Amino acid sequence: MIEIKNLTYIYDTQQSPALENINLSIQPGEYVAIIGPNGGGKTTLIRQLNALLTPTQGEVWIDGLSTGNVKNHKEIRRLVGMIFQNPDNQIVGMTVEEDVAFGPGNLGLSPAEIQRRVDSALAAVGLSELGKRAPHALSGGQKQRLALAGLLAMDPKIIVLDEPTAALDTSGQTEVFRQIEKLHQQGLTIIFITQDMEEAARADRVLVLHQGRLVADDHPAQVLTRVEWLLSLGLAPPRLVQLMCRLRESGFDIGTDVFDVERACQQISTLVTGQRQMLTDRKPREV
Ligand SMILES: Nc1ncnc2c1ncn2[C@@H]1O[C@H](COP(=O)(O)OP(=O)(O)OP(=O)(O)O)[C@@H](O)[C@H]1O
Ligand SMILES: [Mg+2]
């Protein structure tokens, strides 16, 4: 689906490359998080995926189409939908329905087909009831769902999101992620940038970009539990991993490679049961 070969990107020859020799392939239906410190190259990388930027050196292929060929850009931008951090910058219509109709309206489709796509996209993100509302009167989470509907109406294969929840409150974050996960379950390839390690932990694969280089590409369990390494990059490990580390530092015999709540609960309750057993086994005076 996505094939990146020896990709280097230079904004300014006076500066070091924003991306340096990236090699990566992403299969259809994957759910990928990109993390890394500020200026690491995350946004630059995803802008290569819908040809907003094209390689200084190397190649980016989307579904067999090279971004190096300008003739492919229109189709690549239909295949790869992009969502940005600020939902307000993505609104183009006077009503929710008009906003979603904008993209398919540019594909030369019949009015009936456009209406079908608008209805289906709004239903997919749970905004059917708000079709006549002005987009500016939506909440932040609803605006991001509207942006997703606008993409879905283009029938993309890949959705790329640059910190889609950074400008939202907690309920907006949950709302948007629920939607993204639903689209992933329906088979879309999802790639998202996040600063939030809990969000990254939910992906199937985590890429770490540091100073323009891809320094890790693995399952979240392998990447997000490398506490010292994450800290050395200026990244905070997920809160659960931090908790397990604290418990270990305080002398508890507990694994620190845990970042899902269920496993953490299991480990902690095993620990508590063990401690209780030790206390009951001792003679009352010892206790
Ligand atoms: N338009 C630009 N012109 C020149 N340099 C740029 C431009 N955009 C980004 N850069 C530089 O390229 C490097 C990578 O930036 P990029 O925005 O891709 O990082 P990022 O990982 O997305 O950072 P953040 O977490 O802050 O969003 C940085 O050194 C940045 O200063
Ligand atoms: Mg960025």
Side-chain angles (χ1 to χ4, degrees):
M1 179 60 62
I2 297 175
E3 210 49 66
I4 298 179
K5 291 183 193 156
N6 306 321
L7 165 65
T8 292
Y9 186 77
I10 299 171
Y11 282 105
D12 180 344
T13 47
Q14 308 295 313
Q15 292 171 6
S16 45
L19 295 173
E20 209 170 342
N21 202 27
I22 306 278
N23 286 285
L24 184 64
S25 74
I26 295 177
Q27 304 307 314
E30 277 200 90
Y31 187 31
V32 182
I34 306 179
I35 61 171
N38 295 128
K42 304 180 293 298
T43 298
T44 307
L45 177 63
I46 66 161
R47 284 174 175 249
Q48 302 278 339
L49 301 181
N50 76 345
L52 281 173
L53 297 174
T54 53
T56 307
Q57 282 164 30
E59 294 161 27
V60 175
W61 293 81
I62 308 293
D63 209 13
L65 302 170
S66 167
T67 64
N69 185 346
V70 180
K71 286 187 189 143
N72 292 335
H73 287 190
K74 194 169 175 208
E75 177 61 2
I76 286 173
R77 289 183 186 142
R78 194 195 62 75
L79 288 169
V80 185
M82 185 92 71
I83 300 259
F84 299 98
Q85 188 170 333
N86 186 342
D88 288 314
N89 296 348
Q90 302 173 70
I91 292 170
V92 288
M94 299 296 282
T95 67
V96 164
E97 276 189 4
E98 256 186 42
D99 196 82
V100 178
F102 182 79
N106 288 332
L107 295 179
L109 304 168
S110 70
E113 173 61 10
I114 294 174
Q115 192 59 47
R116 193 198 61 74
R117 287 192 181 204
V118 169
D119 292 344
S120 139
L122 286 176
V125 301
L127 287 181
S128 301
E129 306 294 306
L130 302 178
K132 304 290 179 220
R133 183 153 322 162
H136 290 286
L138 299 178
S139 71
Q142 287 170 335
K143 282 179 192 163
Q144 285 300 53
R145 277 156 57 200
L146 171 59
L148 273 173
L151 297 189
L152 293 178
M154 303 292 282
D155 194 21
K157 289 194 176 167
I158 303 166
I159 293 189
V160 181
L161 308 100
D162 192 349
E163 301 191 39
T165 61
L168 306 182
D169 60 16
T170 314
S171 73
Q173 287 171 4
T174 313
E175 180 183 328
V176 168
F177 258 87
R178 194 174 296 140
Q179 204 56 58
I180 293 171
E181 278 167 12
K182 207 170 105 192
L183 296 176
H184 167 237
Q185 280 154 17
Q186 288 167 4
L188 279 165
T189 307
I190 308 273
I191 301 164
F192 65 97
I193 296 177
T194 185
Q195 304 276 353
D196 181 321
M197 295 296 161
E198 273 70 31
E199 286 181 359
R202 287 152 74 157
D204 297 331
R205 177 174 171 191
V206 176
L207 310 179
V208 186
L209 279 175
H210 176 59
Q211 295 178 349
R213 291 178 174 271
L214 185 62
V215 292
D217 173 2
D218 213 328
H219 189 270
Q222 302 300 323
V223 178
L224 301 178
T225 54
R226 294 166 64 187
V227 175
E228 295 303 322
W229 179 76
L230 287 171
L231 291 171
S232 75
L233 297 183
L235 298 172
R239 286 191 296 271
L240 263 180
V241 175
Q242 292 183 38
L243 169 69
M244 302 309 258
C245 284
R246 289 259 186 93
L247 287 169
R248 196 170 177 82
E249 277 161 25
S250 308
F252 293 102
D253 182 18
I254 203 157
T256 54
D257 58 342
V258 175
F259 62 81
D260 72 277
V261 175
E262 242 167 69
R263 275 195 58 209
C265 283
Q266 262 172 17
Q267 288 223 11
I268 293 171
S269 65
T270 310
L271 199 71
V272 171
T273 317
Q275 296 259 321
R276 214 181 272 143
Q277 195 60 47
M278 259 171 53
L279 291 175
T280 16
D281 288 349
R282 287 191 200 164
K283 293 185 189 126
R285 237 187 31 224
E286 276 181 285
V287 176

